[in-house]
Amino acid sequence: MIERHETRKVMVGDVAIGGGAAIPVQSMTTTKTHDIKATLKEVERLEEADCQIIRITVPDEKAAKALPEIKKHMTVPLVADIHFNYRMALEAVDAGADKIRINPGNIGGKARVKEVLEKVKGANLPIRIGVNAGSLERDLIKKYGFPTAEAMVESARRHINICKEHDFEEIIVSLKASDVNLMIDSYRLFAEEFDFPTHLGVTEAGPTKAGSIKSAVGLGTLLKEGIGDTIRVSLTDDPVEEVHCGYEILKSLGLATKGVTVVACPTCGRLEVDLFKIAGDMEERLKNVKTPMSIALMGCAVNGPGEAEHTDLGIAFGKGAGHLYYKGENIGKVSEDAAMGKLEELISDYEKEVSTKGDES
């Protein structure tokens, strides 16, 4: 059991962040916001993948005017992403955004800061202060020589203090960097000083394979230490892949139970079936299954039966066929060709069983 770092609870719509709440997975749309149809199509796909909070950029007036229609069709909280233009923050609040991502120190003079914070506070919304190693204040780069954890936390502290001056503390903070070590060190240092909830992310992590690994290392390290209240995996890919990767990170640490956890052997010379294809096909088919379950796909008789007995569903292959397991019990043999179809039947049976038990309780 991971002991979570104690933080304040901040509500984003009906989703709690911090205060010991479950860790929500976030993502961000990649469409032009003013293209309402395309944006809603991506929002719908993210919601189907169980993305719990969706961020949408609001860079200009066209985007701001599109927000009310987009928000009207969303079933999860909307975060308006604002940079520099304080008027966009004001319009996003009026459009029904559930959170504003903005750095108070980057939107102009004190009058503008006051106007934005009063508007957000009046609507009972939180903000996310987003510190990024790639856009630190010039004086901090001059002071520290290059982005450091101390510089990142000092930047966050500045923005937090601006909010506090206006009696505003509904704050979530991120300290993102593409360098995993810098990101880890920054969040650790921040957690020593503050109890504001944190949004974890390795920014600009890269293409799917490399980005997923970097994110797993960075986010996983901090989450294991109890640091982090919401996560976003940043990949150069379909944002739905970010959601899937985020859940895999949480599930690996026992911090989420959504969907399927696949246990599959790494394969060796004992393999008698095409487990690469079977595992790949099964993972793809199971992406949007939301019922918590574990499935073992094992390639031989050495570890196969033991792993299959300790998962909800499983198959331990031999030469061209395999033994099926349901909740630890061997329920019969199936050929390699029929294995996928039979497993899908068992998955459906398991989902119905879980659903029935849920209704009874």
Side-chain angles (χ1 to χ4, degrees):
M1 187 72 174
I2 294 174
E3 185 176 346
R4 302 272 299 279
H5 177 68
E6 290 187 17
T7 57
R8 311 178 188 195
K9 182 168 74 173
V10 174
M11 297 301 298
V12 179
D14 59 357
V15 176
I17 296 180
I23 298 171
V25 175
Q26 305 194 26
S27 187
M28 186 174 184
T29 55
T30 61
T31 56
K32 297 295 184 185
T33 304
H34 64 262
D35 187 341
I36 295 174
K37 184 176 179 180
T39 301
L40 281 175
K41 185 176 180 180
E42 194 159 82
V43 164
E44 183 179 357
R45 292 177 59 245
L46 284 166
E47 290 177 341
E48 287 176 353
D50 216 17
C51 185
Q52 293 160 286
I53 297 173
I54 299 175
R55 182 158 45 114
I56 297 177
T57 186
V58 190
D60 52 36
E61 194 70 33
K62 288 192 299 182
K65 289 187 180 303
L67 275 191
E69 183 65 18
I70 293 169
K71 171 61 179 174
K72 186 168 70 176
H73 295 279
M74 290 180 64
T75 62
V76 301
L78 184 160
V79 178
D81 192 68
I82 312 293
H83 291 276
F84 308 118
N85 191 335
Y86 82 105
R87 290 190 181 88
M88 296 303 99
L90 301 177
E91 292 195 35
V93 173
D94 288 336
D98 298 290
K99 181 174 76 172
I100 306 296
R101 188 276 188 210
I102 193 168
N103 288 350
N106 295 345
I107 58 174
K110 291 184 177 180
R112 290 181 177 180
V113 173
K114 182 180 180 182
E115 188 175 357
V116 169
L117 291 179
E118 286 186 349
K119 181 83 169 182
V120 173
K121 185 162 59 173
N124 197 29
L125 302 182
I127 68 168
R128 172 162 71 90
I129 292 171
V131 177
N132 193 302
S135 56
L136 278 175
E137 294 93 321
R138 291 180 181 177
D139 66 306
L140 291 178
I141 295 295
K142 184 176 181 180
K143 176 179 178 180
Y144 292 96
F146 53 89
T148 64
E150 290 77 14
M152 298 275 282
V153 173
E154 185 168 338
S155 177
R157 189 184 300 113
R158 286 181 178 179
H159 294 297
I160 289 169
N161 287 339
I162 291 171
C163 291
K164 285 184 173 182
E165 287 171 11
H166 293 85
D167 194 30
F168 184 87
E169 296 194 29
E170 290 296 300
I171 300 167
I172 299 162
V173 179
S174 63
L175 303 102
K176 297 186 179 182
S178 57
D179 181 290
V180 174
N181 287 313
L182 174 58
M183 171 262 191
I184 291 171
D185 291 343
S186 299
Y187 280 102
R188 282 174 173 166
L189 190 61
F190 182 86
E192 290 177 4
E193 182 177 349
F194 297 100
D195 66 350
F196 292 106
T198 50
H199 166 126
L200 298 188
V202 177
T203 193
E204 295 130 14
T208 305
K209 186 175 181 180
S212 296
I213 292 170
K214 288 174 69 175
S215 297
V217 172
L219 277 62
T221 298
L222 290 166
L223 290 167
K224 179 63 177 174
E225 295 175 5
I227 297 171
D229 301 285
T230 182
I231 65 170
R232 189 258 171 121
V233 174
S234 299
L235 301 177
T236 310
D237 199 345
D238 183 341
V240 170
E241 293 303 316
E242 298 183 347
V243 178
H244 293 316
C245 183
Y247 275 112
E248 288 302 320
I249 292 170
L250 292 178
K251 286 192 294 183
S252 71
L253 293 167
L255 293 170
T257 56
K258 170 200 172 287
V260 182
T261 298
V262 177
V263 178
C265 68
T267 75
C268 66
R270 296 190 297 269
L271 192 65
E272 299 283 358
V273 296
D274 189 354
L275 196 61
F276 297 108
K277 183 178 187 305
I278 292 170
D281 288 349
M282 184 58 65
E283 185 176 46
E284 188 63 31
R285 294 190 194 192
L286 297 174
K287 276 186 174 179
N288 291 322
V289 173
K290 297 181 180 180
T291 302
M293 69 179 79
S294 55
I295 297 178
L297 301 174
M298 305 303 294
C300 78
V302 175
N303 296 318
E307 290 288 356
E309 287 174 358
H310 291 93
T311 52
D312 298 312
L313 309 175
I315 184 165
F317 284 104
K319 188 172 183 177
H323 286 276
L324 288 164
Y325 290 80
Y326 189 89
K327 298 171 68 173
E329 296 294 326
N330 187 329
I331 60 170
K333 200 172 183 180
V334 65
S335 68
E336 179 180 355
D337 291 340
M340 288 288 288
K342 188 60 180 176
L343 273 175
E344 288 183 335
E345 287 180 23
L346 293 179
I347 289 165
S348 180
D349 291 343
Y350 188 84
E351 287 182 300
K352 290 175 183 175
E353 183 177 338
V354 171
S355 176
T356 301
K357 286 182 178 179
D359 292 340
E360 290 174 351
S361 63

